[in-house]
């Protein structure tokens, strides 16, 4: 099942044959004539802000054995062979989708897929089509006519609607057509599955997906992201993903924080239970509401208030009562589906949730 697209192997082979294959090295023990740390400030530890700089891109001076070790620990935890860190989920998706699908390939993506994936696809040279949100029948029709190597991309939990993809069904359909499934787990990492490993791990699907993306700026309370997949995919991204190659590496402090928050979240069953309780409470209280609540079991609960002006006005009224809610406007969401996107947390109290809903209906 763990196939690698032929073009990817060939591109890496070409790089090796032309002696242009890039590998990550650690030269931190040598005298520095390679970093961009012109004033030595990357070594300075400010009392207020701690921290060292990473001094350059991963391929020049920004890589250390520790970075690689952290990546392997993340790969082990998220149950994939390899991991590669990026400065953000946006960078990860941009790099992956602009480099991996080749000319003549097809990318099929859910119509509600995140902007970072759309932008990546747009920078690449493959043909792409959207399918209706979570619509397996439409995806099947698209798969029947797709050409080249086919990549299907979905989110585990959708960032604006908060609903889940039926990953098992997507995996089966992809297998039927020999397509490669990629899952963006930005909103499930930390909160779903055993120790917060995400929806693919919860469903035992890691053997059946090509890659997944976990971001650390959401439930993990940090920033940065990893692309998890085979070691060949990791080699490929190191060589071809421009948002990895041509940017200063994520700082040592941020790398350590990522590992620490993943380990902390693994032990946070109590917080996950509190979050679940709050989601159930919110949904229960909203049952009586006449407003349209987009069906979702996740912390993302969206109340549709059509029209940019109407939803902005509603958000303003609620904010004046002391609750931070944000209006999500067209064109971020489709016209008529403008909404208040409510994010629930483990630490919101019952009283806060009740009062928020009261403020909403007044
Ligand atoms: C589904 C999804 N993917 C990727 C991203 C980008 O992640 P980051 O904020 O780390 O750039 C986000 C949110 O911003 C997201 O919701």
């Amino acid at each position: 099942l763990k196939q690698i697209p032929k073009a990817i192997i060939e591109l890496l082979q070409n790089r090796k044959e032309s002696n242009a294959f890039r590998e990550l090295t650690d030269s931190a023990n040598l005298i520095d004539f390679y970093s961009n740390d012109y004033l030595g400030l990357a070594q300075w530890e400010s009392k207020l802000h701690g921290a060292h700089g990473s001094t350059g891109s991963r391929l020049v001076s920004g890589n250390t054995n520790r970075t690689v070790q952290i990546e392997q620990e993340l790969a082990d935890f998220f149950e994939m062979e390899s991991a590669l860190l990026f400065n953000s989920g946006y960078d990860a998706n941009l790099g992956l989708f602009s480099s991996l699908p080749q000319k003549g390939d097809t990318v099929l993506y859910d119509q509600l897929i995140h902007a970072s994936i759309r932008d990546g696809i747009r920078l690449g040279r493959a043909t792409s089509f959207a399918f209706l949100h979570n619509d397996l029948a439409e995806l099947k029709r698209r798969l029947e006519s797709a050409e080249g190597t086919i990549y299907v991309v979905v989110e585990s939990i959708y960032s604006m609607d908060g609903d889940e993809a039926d990953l098992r069904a997507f995996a089966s359909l992809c297998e039927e057509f020999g397509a490669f499934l990629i899952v963006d787990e930005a909103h499930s990492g930390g909160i779903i599955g055993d120790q917060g490993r995400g929806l693919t791990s919860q469903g035992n699907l890691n053997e059946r997906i090509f890659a997944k993306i976990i971001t650390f700026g959401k439930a993990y309370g940090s920033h940065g992201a990893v692309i998890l997949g085979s070691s060949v995919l990791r080699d490929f991204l190191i060589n071809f993903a421009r948002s990895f190659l041509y940017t200063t590496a994520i700082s040592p402090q941020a790398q350590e924080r990522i590992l620490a928050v993943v380990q902390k979240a693994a032990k946070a069953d109590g917080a996950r239970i509190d979050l679940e309780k709050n989601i159930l409470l919110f949904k229960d209280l909203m049952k009586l509401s006449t407003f349209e609540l987009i069906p979702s079991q996740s912390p993302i609960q969206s109340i549709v208030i059509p029209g940019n002006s109407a939803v902005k006005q509603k958000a303003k009224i609620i904010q004046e009562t002391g609750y931070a809610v944000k209006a999500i406007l067209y064109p971020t969401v489709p016209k008529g589906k403008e909404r208040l996107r409510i994010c629930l947390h483990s630490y919101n109290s019952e009283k806060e949730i009740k009062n928020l809903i009261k403020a909403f209906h007044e």
Side-chain angles (χ1 to χ4, degrees), residues 88-91 93 114 116 155 157 159 184 186-187 215 217-218 224-225:
S88 70
Y90 187 89
D91 281 4
N93 281 334
H114 193 258
S116 54
E155 289 175 33
I157 291 183
S159 60
D184 182 335
H187 292 277
T215 67
K218 302 178 196 298

Side-chain angles (χ1 to χ4, degrees), residues 205 257 288 344:
L205 295 167
R257 181 170 164 88
L288 303 170
L344 296 166

Side-chain angles (χ1 to χ4, degrees), residues 61-345:
S61 63
N63 186 66
T64 63
N65 293 337
R66 177 65 182 153
T67 317
V68 175
Q69 185 190 5
I70 287 173
E71 287 176 331
Q72 194 52 53
E73 290 201 29
L74 293 170
D76 294 344
F77 181 80
F78 290 109
E79 303 176 322
M80 298 293 272
E81 191 182 0
S82 283
L84 191 66
L85 280 165
F86 286 75
N87 279 303
S88 70
Y90 187 89
D91 281 4
N93 281 334
L94 202 72
L96 177 65
F97 289 98
S98 60
S99 63
L100 180 69
Q102 305 297 307
K103 195 163 190 242
D105 292 345
T106 305
V107 186
L108 302 175
Y109 60 95
D110 190 285
Q111 71 178 147
L112 296 190
I113 211 77
H114 193 258
S116 54
I117 295 172
R118 283 174 186 269
D119 291 359
I121 293 169
R122 215 178 292 163
L123 281 174
R125 292 185 304 156
T127 308
S128 64
F129 298 100
F131 54 90
L132 292 173
H133 180 48
N134 269 338
D135 189 330
L136 287 147
E138 217 222 333
L139 173 60
K140 186 166 187 199
R141 284 193 294 279
R142 294 274 180 202
L143 282 164
E144 278 160 358
S145 57
E147 292 181 348
T149 300
I150 310 167
Y151 296 93
V152 172
V153 50
V154 296
E155 289 175 33
S156 48
I157 291 183
Y158 280 84
S159 60
M160 288 299 150
D161 285 29
D163 57 344
E164 272 182 22
D166 181 352
L167 292 183
R168 191 170 299 279
F170 276 103
S172 297
L173 195 54
C174 286
E175 281 157 10
E176 195 182 316
F177 288 87
F180 295 94
L181 180 60
I182 301 176
V183 184
D184 182 335
E185 294 234 43
H187 292 277
S188 43
I191 64 164
I192 289 191
D194 179 40
Q195 302 191 341
R197 286 185 174 83
L199 201 60
T200 46
S201 285
Q202 188 188 43
N204 269 326
L205 295 167
N206 291 316
E207 287 293 318
R208 301 172 66 186
I209 59 171
F210 180 68
K212 64 181 169 185
I213 298 97
I214 300 266
T215 67
F216 301 109
K218 302 178 196 298
Y220 284 115
S222 188
H223 86 282
V226 268
I227 296 178
L228 296 132
S230 64
S231 58
V232 179
L233 175 64
R234 184 170 182 274
D235 281 348
F236 180 81
L237 294 169
I238 289 169
N239 278 271
F240 294 97
R242 296 169 71 82
S243 63
F244 175 84
L245 283 155
Y246 298 113
T247 190
T248 301
I250 189 164
S251 74
Q253 186 197 27
Q255 298 169 23
E256 295 293 346
R257 181 170 164 88
I258 285 170
L259 187 59
V261 290
V262 168
Q263 288 164 346
K264 174 110 180 130
K267 297 193 203 104
D269 280 343
R272 276 186 287 273
I273 289 167
D274 289 346
L275 175 62
E276 191 58 36
K277 272 194 214 149
N278 282 344
I279 296 168
L280 293 176
L281 172 68
F282 179 87
K283 283 168 63 72
D284 202 42
L285 292 170
M286 281 300 290
K287 267 190 197 143
L288 303 170
S289 175
T290 49
F291 286 94
E292 179 191 346
L293 183 67
I294 295 180
S296 151
Q297 316 293 330
S298 80
I300 302 167
Q301 296 287 331
S302 287
I303 302 169
V304 176
I305 299 176
N308 279 358
S309 307
V311 73
K312 271 164 91 173
Q313 179 64 15
K314 191 79 182 167
K316 187 163 172 276
I317 291 168
I318 297 175
Q319 280 163 15
E320 280 164 6
T321 66
Y323 295 91
V325 293
K326 282 284 170 197
I328 308 289
L329 309 178
Y330 168 83
T332 299
V333 290
K335 249 197 176 108
K337 290 285 177 190
E338 296 83 359
R339 67 197 62 182
L340 291 180
R341 177 175 176 269
I342 305 219
C343 288
L344 296 166
H345 312 97

